[in-house]
């Protein structure tokens, strides 16, 4: 057993069955080992950001991490934006990076770089496998760290560690790592203080945005004097008809700030304190009201669901959640013009039960929260880390983690161009992913933000740097070139028809919606 | 004048006139300033790796750095593979990264990361602009560092540094930075030792691979007992009919090792010591013979051309270079089948005088050095850093640095997929770039290397991870979708015809050559 086989075997032994790979010459022994380890399947991606984004999607939906296999420092760098996103989504990802042989280090080979230093800013845990003998236990430690964080971890594997004999597969550990329990005393103290001093808000996020956590949150929403909100950009939010409804904080910083006005105490349950994604002159970064006291019922990595259930037992014993969202309704009129709001309404109405909706609609998605709240029950995956180019790969991982569940991806024109080759992997794997490209011919979010930040009349809002119109990207041609059947929709009824066709046929599809510029 | 305007003005004052931009919300004030600074033009790229690759091409051909404008840590990460390549090519690039406001730091905004730490591994120089007052001088220091290194440098600009008033444009310095002179004593000592002890080899690289350096090298090649070689992967090599010919070391490690056998002393003139790009079990990394003594006539960053000229005066006074390469000839037969060797021969024969040939042909390019040696005189740009995905963006920068010179880019199928949207920028800018995609439907280099490394019969050579055939990428559709007129060539004569058409028409073109799998 060489080091590579010890790594592959240890991944498998610790629950990792899938690898998104974009290997190079330093990884040949790893490729050999990954391909010959039963139960470990590798999926080829044509760009590292596709591999890491797909692994992020798998981690969100699969509960166990996927691996990625990347090539030296430059390959890792290409994958780091979506590792950043995985970190913000608390999605476990085990990245294995092949490096030059230790005997080669310092010779100045063309790809030589400090891989561990590169990995550090976007990894929760980094280790370089020092020998074939420890490669298996290093791998087990990596999987454990990814699950415990949870988030992306990086194991650097020098080529000679991979090819040397003396590897040992690390046997499976005892129980898988789970979120840490919140001490009962903390839950009781918060319950007591909320009884004594109402007027607080509870912000729910992370793993608490699924059925059990939402049910507890919806019960707490009936407690007088307690406002219950869900975080704006969830890693995985169950919603739709029949799912307990919790008001979602707006992703628009102005609206979120308005909603949080007058709240002088915010209790976090698996969520982060809400801040504006981008600073503006003269505007504070925090979205909470000045002086608002922020405390944690459950910090990220702690079991927010159990904590919410405990809090609900203390504050709302016997109370039942408000009726869940009503049955799904179709919210668009057949004669509607196809603007962004209508497009997302058509998509929401067409969502099959059990769908996974990947949302990278950005500036086109303002109507999405309202449109999907009463859609058929589904999971919503947002871009938690704001590094664009996550949606198409995220869909791959979500699909592979959730066989039988249809994936619908709302993608923006600008964002689609960072990891477009994800469509090829979707085609290669025959994944049931329907991508709707909302093409408004520009970086509309930059146009909008420049008006906000620089003033309504700023010439910068019309900057050619925000214009994707010359030449206009032809996403239907691009999709077809990558092997995905692609169509255009010019009206709401056409979009509805194309979506239904796409959802009825196996394999990936792309539907392009041309929207007016913002 | 705010900090952003001080940065833009200082870039311009220090000779930077071009910026490859993929901005985000943190860079709005920088966009405003860049767009309103006369003489500073910004070119939009749809992915950061396109921006950095284009800047690398500009630096190689333009002599002065271009800037890039990127968005926070995730955006920088996307651009780092081609910054790595720029570093290996000693191409000056000034990357400006917008970051969150300093007042925002530590709040946990979605894109928060340690940008300076991220930048360090792929930058020769990193600084975070601390205030609007120093932003101009920080910018001047960045340009100076990029020229002096030469290579990529990174200036991190917090949003509030950009928007705050109190900026000062840093006035132009005295002379531009140039390569450091090699002390005359070192040249004389090497000349003396070469007279006393012949049998050495001289490896020429960097800036010495242009006319004057090559002329001196070709004179030295006539000195008895001195072998003169050019480095295998040049940042910019002048070659073709009329250019003094210097034998180029093979890019194949086995051949290079063979060529260096028996050479016990290697003198570097602007080149790095030759090493195998990738380690193999039981094979040393250095390509030089065991015990070979390596010394530097001119280290990277020193003026290798002048040093070679000095050495030629001492060792070969009055000697003239061997006759330069003969007049270009057409090396392919019209009836040839279109394999990789024929394809590059057709391209070499079609090269117009003064063309710039960007070579990312990888496994399909074995015949290129021979085919181009006697082509019409041109510059050849190789991928010095081995991070694939450089060719298409490199072509953009080379075109913008060299108005009136046609660009021909030999691109591989696998490599093209990392930065494909470069084609869109080529179309938007109307650049005279003819891209020939050599599509053999796989990562052939990995197939070949797995046979070498794992053994001839290894099943890994047939790994699906090396196969781009299911589905086959349709590069003509992809090119068209990005706004570039695209055609397919099935025979040598068709390729010749398509090339001549593409070269005769303004603007970018794409020609796809389907090759047999390796």
């Amino acid at each position: 057993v060489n080091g590579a086989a010890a790594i592959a075997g240890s991944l498998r032994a610790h629950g990792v069955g899938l690898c998104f790979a974009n290997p190079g010459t330093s990884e040949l022994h790893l490729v050999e080992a990954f391909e010959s380890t039963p139960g470990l399947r590798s999926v080829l991606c044509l760009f590292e950001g596709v591999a890491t984004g797909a692994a992020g999607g798998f981690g969100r939906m699969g509960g166990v991490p996927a691996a990625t296999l990347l090539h030296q420092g430059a390959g890792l760098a290409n994958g780091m934006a979506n590792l950043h996103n995985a970190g913000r989504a608390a999605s476990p990802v085990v990245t294995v990076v092949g490096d030059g042989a230790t005997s080669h280090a310092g010779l100045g080979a063309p790809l030589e770089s400090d891989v561990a230093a590169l990995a550090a800013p976007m990894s929760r845990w980094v280790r370089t496998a020092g020998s074939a003998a420890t490669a298996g236990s290093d791998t087990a430690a990596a999987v454990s760290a990814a699950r415990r964080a949870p988030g992306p971890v990086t194991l650097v594997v020098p080529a000679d560690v991979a090819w040397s004999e003396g590897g040992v597969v690390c046997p499976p550990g005892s129980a898988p790592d789970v979120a840490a329990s919140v001490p009962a005393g903390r839950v009781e103290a918060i319950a007591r203080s909320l009884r004594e001093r109402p007027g607080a808000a509870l912000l729910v996020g992370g793993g608490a945005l699924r059925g059990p956590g939402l049910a507890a949150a919806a019960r707490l929403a009936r407690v007088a004097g307690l406002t219950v909100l869900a975080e704006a950009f969830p890693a995985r939010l169950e919603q739709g008809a029949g799912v307990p409804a919790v008001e979602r904080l707006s992703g628009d910083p102005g609206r979120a700030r308005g909603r949080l006005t007058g709240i002088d105490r915010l209790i976090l349950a698996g969520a982060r304190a809400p801040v504006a994604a981008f600073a503006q002159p003269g505007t504070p970064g925090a979205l909470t009201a000045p002086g608002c006291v922020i405390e944690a019922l459950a910090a990220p990595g702690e079991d927010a669901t159990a904590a919410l259930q405990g809090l609900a037992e203390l504050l709302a014993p016997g109370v039942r959640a408000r009726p869940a969202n009503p049955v799904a309704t179709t919210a668009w009129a057949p004669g509607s013009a196809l603007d962004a709001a209508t497009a997302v309404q058509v998509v929401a109405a067409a969502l099959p039960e059990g769908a996974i909706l990947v949302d990278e609609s950005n500036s086109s998605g303002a109507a999405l929260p309202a449109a999907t709240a009463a859609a058929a029950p589904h999971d919503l995956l947002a871009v938690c880390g704001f590094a664009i180019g996550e949606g198409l790969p995220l869909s791959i991982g979500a699909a592979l983690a959730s066989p039988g569940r249809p994936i619908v991806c709302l993608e923006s024109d600008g964002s689609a161009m960072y990891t477009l080759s994800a469509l090829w992997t979707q085609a290669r794997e025959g994944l049931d992913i329907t991508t709707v490209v909302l093409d408004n011919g520009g970086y509309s979010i930059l146009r909008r933000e420049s008006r906000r930040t620089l003033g309504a009349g700023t010439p910068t809002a019309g900057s050619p740097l925000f214009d994707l119109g010359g030449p206009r990207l032809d996403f239907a041609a691009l999709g077809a070139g990558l092997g995905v059947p692609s169509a255009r929709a010019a009206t709401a009824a056409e979009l509805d028809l194309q979506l239904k066709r796409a959802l009825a046929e196996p394999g990936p599809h792309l539907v392009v919606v041309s929207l007016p510029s913002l």
Side-chain angles (χ1 to χ4, degrees), chain A:
Chain A
V1 177
N2 64 16
I7 290 167
S10 301
L11 283 172
R12 188 70 204 97
H14 290 263
V16 178
L18 190 62
C19 174
F20 297 97
N22 187 251
T25 301
S26 324
E27 292 79 44
L28 294 173
H29 291 87
L30 288 164
V31 169
E32 182 183 46
F34 280 44
E35 300 249 297
S36 57
T37 298
L40 182 57
R41 190 163 91 81
S42 292
V43 170
L44 177 60
C45 302
L46 301 186
F47 174 67
E48 295 86 351
V50 176
T52 54
F58 189 90
R60 291 197 203 189
M61 294 304 301
V64 293
T68 70
L69 180 60
L70 307 182
H71 181 46
Q72 300 209 332
L76 172 64
N78 279 334
M80 278 166 53
N82 276 334
L83 290 182
H84 165 85
N85 282 329
R88 292 293 302 206
S91 178
V93 174
V94 178
T95 288
V96 178
V97 185
D99 198 7
T102 53
S103 58
H104 223 71
L107 290 180
L111 275 169
E112 190 172 291
S113 66
D114 186 342
V115 183
L118 261 170
M122 303 290 193
S123 303
R124 301 278 172 90
W125 177 101
V126 182
R127 186 179 293 177
T128 299
S131 71
T134 64
S137 57
D138 290 334
T139 303
V143 178
S144 173
R147 299 185 69 152
R148 200 173 53 242
V153 303
T154 303
L155 179 66
V156 185
V157 183
D160 49 347
V161 170
W163 76 51
S164 293
E165 292 301 314
V168 184
V169 172
C170 187
S174 45
D177 302 290
V178 292
S181 294
V182 172
R186 194 197 303 162
V187 179
E188 286 156 14
I190 286 178
R192 204 174 320 120
S193 73
L194 282 172
R195 271 194 219 100
E196 288 164 7
R197 191 162 55 82
L202 187 62
L203 185 62
V204 182
L209 294 179
R210 297 165 65 179
L214 290 171
R219 284 171 65 194
L220 287 162
R222 304 200 64 183
V223 173
L226 183 62
T227 302
V228 179
L229 299 165
E231 65 186 348
F233 298 98
R236 178 179 177 183
L237 170 68
E238 280 187 33
Q239 61 173 0
V243 179
V246 174
E247 179 190 349
R248 193 161 143 213
L249 192 62
S250 175
D252 177 287
R255 287 182 195 197
R257 202 185 296 279
R259 183 69 185 86
L260 295 168
T261 298
I263 292 172
D264 60 4
R265 186 177 175 206
L266 183 69
I267 298 164
L268 304 174
R272 291 167 183 262
V275 300
F278 301 104
Q280 288 196 303
T283 307
L287 295 174
T288 41
C292 176
V293 175
I294 299 176
E295 65 197 291
L297 170 68
E302 290 182 330
D303 188 345
T305 298
L308 283 170
Q309 288 169 328
L311 194 66
E313 282 308 300
L314 293 170
L315 289 180
V319 172
R320 304 189 53 176
R322 273 204 195 80
N325 282 316
V327 175
T329 50
T330 306
W332 59 280
S336 308
L338 196 46
D339 57 13
T342 303
V344 302
Q345 283 157 2
V346 173
V347 171
L351 277 184
E353 186 170 336
I356 299 167
L357 179 61
V358 174
D359 177 24
E360 196 167 46
S361 55
N362 303 346
S363 59
S364 297
L368 196 64
T372 51
H378 64 278
D379 281 299
L380 174 88
L381 315 188
V383 178
C384 307
F386 273 48
I388 55 176
E390 192 187 24
L392 302 177
L394 206 56
S395 303
I396 295 171
L400 286 166
S402 316
R405 296 184 64 175
I407 316 291
V408 176
C409 175
L410 280 171
E411 187 57 70
S412 303
D413 49 348
S415 298
M417 295 308 295
Y418 290 74
T419 49
L420 193 69
S421 73
L423 293 171
W424 180 85
T425 297
Q426 294 180 7
R428 183 172 174 97
E429 298 291 323
L431 302 176
D432 293 333
I433 300 171
T434 300
T435 300
V436 179
V437 176
L438 299 165
D439 176 9
N440 57 24
Y443 290 136
S444 301
I445 210 158
L446 297 183
R447 289 181 175 143
R448 189 185 70 197
E449 293 299 320
S450 63
R451 287 185 204 106
R452 276 191 195 167
T453 305
L454 305 173
T458 177
T460 301
S463 168
L465 294 181
F466 305 161
D467 169 45
L468 308 186
R472 189 84 183 229
L473 293 157
D474 181 347
F475 282 100
L478 293 169
L482 295 164
V484 173
S486 301
R488 294 180 187 86
T491 66
E494 263 181 43
L495 174 57
D496 182 53
L497 185 71
Q498 298 286 7
L499 279 173
K500 285 176 180 153
R501 266 193 206 151
L503 288 162
E505 281 178 17
H509 293 79
L510 182 79
V511 184
V512 186
V513 178
S514 288
L515 299 173
S517 300
L518 291 188

